[in-house]
């Protein structure tokens, strides 16, 4: 069964908005409705021109433009002052067109807002009657008699209605049939005047079920991301352990057989230091010093001594201070530190000591 509907009858001129509540197969006058009711405003038949016309299979914007042209052809009101609404397609492509003065539509919207209402739809009164298969139907909508035909709808005014109906049959709709027709029209309006600039603004409200699903998806994504990170960490640790084991195995190959080596890499470093000496080792440091001596003319080495602490002491013989300084600069350029002792004269030359160490 359909839910309740708060029906707001709009005035044709100055006046108050009258209300009814339609629910459970009956109508109650003067109620404000209850929570959860749909709100539908009813435009008076006198204010809205209704006619059905062939629109064709057009895009929505083109269909509205065509409806505006058709409405303007049959109205004394200038097209720019008309508000035109287009009904749903029925009977092929013949669709109901409703035209009302834009100023009156704006006044209705203002009055509804001041009364605290934002209706789901605004339906012309004749369209609350069932559509006849032929001829016309007549009924009372909100205390006003209206007529609906196959192609049109209008107020049941003496003289005008008779001229439009002519000799065609008119069926009266009342009682339960009228209530059922009103309920059906409110549930699925055949034409809603709330279109274009008067369309109802839709406010998005998050659905709890959707939010719950989104939350579960987010948690799943976080869990998968965390699992990937943990997997990468485990793989990295396993790879590091494997490399450490390979390094230990290689280090053991450089140690004497039968020697217990709980830390083979450290033991290998100690052994290498013992073989080559401290610092960079004798070979590397002596090679740099010998290359520097060869590059500086008339400079000789008197003695060479390599200490366990990695310091290479060399006695230098040079013609003078410039040559000794050139030798020191050459050794420094090779990446070593040089500390020179005071030089003394000896048989027309100078003698001194360089203490060479790694940086």
């Amino acid at each position: 069964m359909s839910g309740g509907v708060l029906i707001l009858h709009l005035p044709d001129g100055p006046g108050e908005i009258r209300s009814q509540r339609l629910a459970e197969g009956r109508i109650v006058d003067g109620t404000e409705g209850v929570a959860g009711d749909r709100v539908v405003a009813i435009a008076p038949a006198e204010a809205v021109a209704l006619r059905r016309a062939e629109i064709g299979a057009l895009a929505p914007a083109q269909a509205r433009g065509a409806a505006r042209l058709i409405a303007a052809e049959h109205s004394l009101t200038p097209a720019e002052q008309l508000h035109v609404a287009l009904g749903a397609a029925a009977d092929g492509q013949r669709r109901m067109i409703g035209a009302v003065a834009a100023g009156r539509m704006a006044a209705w919207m203002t009055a509804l807002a001041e009364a605290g209402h934002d209706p789901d739809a605004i339906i012309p009164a004749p369209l609350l009657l069932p559509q006849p298969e032929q001829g016309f139907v007549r009924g009372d909508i909100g205390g006003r008699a209206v007529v609906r035909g196959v192609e049109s709808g209008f107020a049941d005014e003496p003289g005008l209605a008779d001229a439009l109906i002519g000799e065609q049959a008119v069926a009266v709709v009342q009682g339960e049939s009228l209530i059922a027709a009103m309920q059906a029209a409110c549930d699925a309006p055949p034409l809603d005047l709330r279109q274009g600039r008067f369309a109802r603004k839709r406010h998005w409200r998050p659905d709890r079920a959707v939010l719950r699903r989104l939350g579960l998806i987010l948690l799943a994504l976080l869990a998968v991301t965390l699992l990937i990170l943990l997997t990468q960490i485990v793989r990295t640790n396993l790879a590091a352990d494997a490399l450490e084991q390979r390094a230990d195995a290689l280090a053991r190959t450089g140690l004497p057989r039968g020697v217990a080596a709980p830390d083979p890499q450290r033991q290998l470093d100690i052994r290498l230091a013992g073989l080559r000496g401290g610092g960079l080792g004798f070979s590397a440091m002596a090679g740099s010093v010998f290359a520097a001596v060869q590059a500086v003319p008339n400079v000789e080495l008197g003695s060479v001594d390599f200490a366990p602490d990695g310091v290479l002491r060399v006695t230098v013989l040079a013609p003078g201070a410039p040559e000794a300084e050139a030798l020191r600069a050459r050794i420094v350029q090779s990446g070593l530190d040089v500390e020179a002792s005071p030089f003394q004269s000896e048989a027309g030359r100078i003698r001194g000591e360089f203490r060479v160490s790694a940086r």
Side-chain angles (χ1 to χ4, degrees):
M1 180 179 292
S2 301
V5 182
L6 177 62
I7 300 176
L8 304 173
H9 293 277
L10 301 172
D12 185 29
E16 295 183 354
I17 298 174
R18 294 177 296 109
S19 65
Q20 292 180 317
R21 184 170 188 267
L22 171 60
E24 299 179 355
R26 64 191 184 94
I27 294 178
V28 179
D29 292 329
T31 180
E32 292 300 322
V34 299
D37 280 355
R38 279 173 47 81
V39 180
V40 176
I42 307 302
E46 297 86 349
V48 184
L50 293 173
R51 63 179 297 107
R52 195 179 297 275
E54 185 78 28
I55 297 298
L58 300 176
Q62 295 174 327
R64 286 193 295 268
R68 177 172 293 277
L69 292 176
I70 294 172
E73 290 177 358
H74 298 84
S75 175
L76 298 177
T77 304
E80 62 273 11
Q81 298 179 18
L82 280 178
H83 169 63
V84 179
L86 188 60
D91 298 333
Q93 294 300 325
R94 294 185 65 79
R95 303 171 69 174
M96 186 65 75
I97 299 172
V100 60
R104 181 168 294 181
M105 185 72 182
W108 287 338
M109 296 300 299
T110 300
L112 287 166
E114 291 176 351
H117 297 297
D118 183 21
D120 298 287
I122 299 179
I123 307 173
L127 298 186
L128 267 67
L129 298 177
Q131 181 180 346
E133 295 182 2
Q134 59 182 2
F136 294 86
V137 293
R138 177 183 282 118
D140 185 290
I141 302 297
R144 296 175 181 174
V146 296
V147 178
R148 180 177 183 180
V150 177
E151 299 290 322
S152 62
F154 44 86
D156 188 9
E157 297 179 357
L160 175 61
D162 293 337
L164 294 174
I165 295 173
E167 298 298 326
Q168 300 184 66
V170 179
V172 177
V173 181
Q174 56 188 350
E176 294 182 358
S177 298
L178 177 60
I179 292 176
M182 292 176 64
Q183 182 74 67
C186 290
D187 290 342
L191 185 146
D192 183 4
L193 293 177
R194 296 207 66 177
Q195 298 180 21
R197 66 188 181 97
F198 297 109
R200 190 167 190 264
K201 294 180 174 60
R202 302 296 178 183
H203 301 285
W204 181 77
R205 296 180 180 177
D207 183 82
R208 290 186 178 180
V210 173
L211 290 179
R212 190 180 300 109
R213 286 195 294 269
L214 290 176
L216 292 175
I217 292 173
L218 180 59
L219 288 176
L221 289 175
L222 291 175
V224 171
T225 302
L226 181 61
L227 182 61
I228 292 174
L229 291 175
L230 291 176
T231 302
Q232 292 177 341
I233 291 173
V234 171
R235 292 181 62 183
T236 301
N237 288 337
L238 291 176
D241 291 342
L243 290 175
E244 188 72 17
Q245 292 175 5
R246 290 181 59 188
D248 288 345
L250 289 174
R252 287 191 181 93
T253 61
L255 297 176
R257 292 185 179 180
V259 175
D263 189 351
Q265 295 184 54
R266 182 172 177 275
Q267 294 297 326
L268 182 61
D269 289 339
I270 294 174
R271 186 182 183 198
L272 288 175
L275 293 174
R276 72 182 184 188
L280 297 179
F282 172 77
S283 299
M285 298 178 68
S288 297
V289 172
F290 293 158
V293 170
Q294 291 178 355
V296 180
N298 302 320
V299 174
E300 300 176 3
L301 296 181
S303 65
V304 178
D305 179 56
F306 185 70
D309 60 359
V311 177
L312 182 68
R313 294 177 174 83
V314 294
T315 302
V316 178
L317 299 172
E323 288 80 4
E325 179 60 27
L327 176 62
R328 191 192 71 81
R330 285 279 184 176
I331 297 174
V332 171
Q333 289 178 0
S334 66
L336 300 172
D337 285 334
V338 178
E339 182 180 339
S341 66
F343 276 69
Q344 299 177 353
S345 297
E346 183 181 290
R349 295 167 67 85
I350 62 173
R351 175 190 289 269
E353 184 182 86
F354 282 173
R355 289 169 52 85
V356 183
S357 60
R359 289 182 180 177

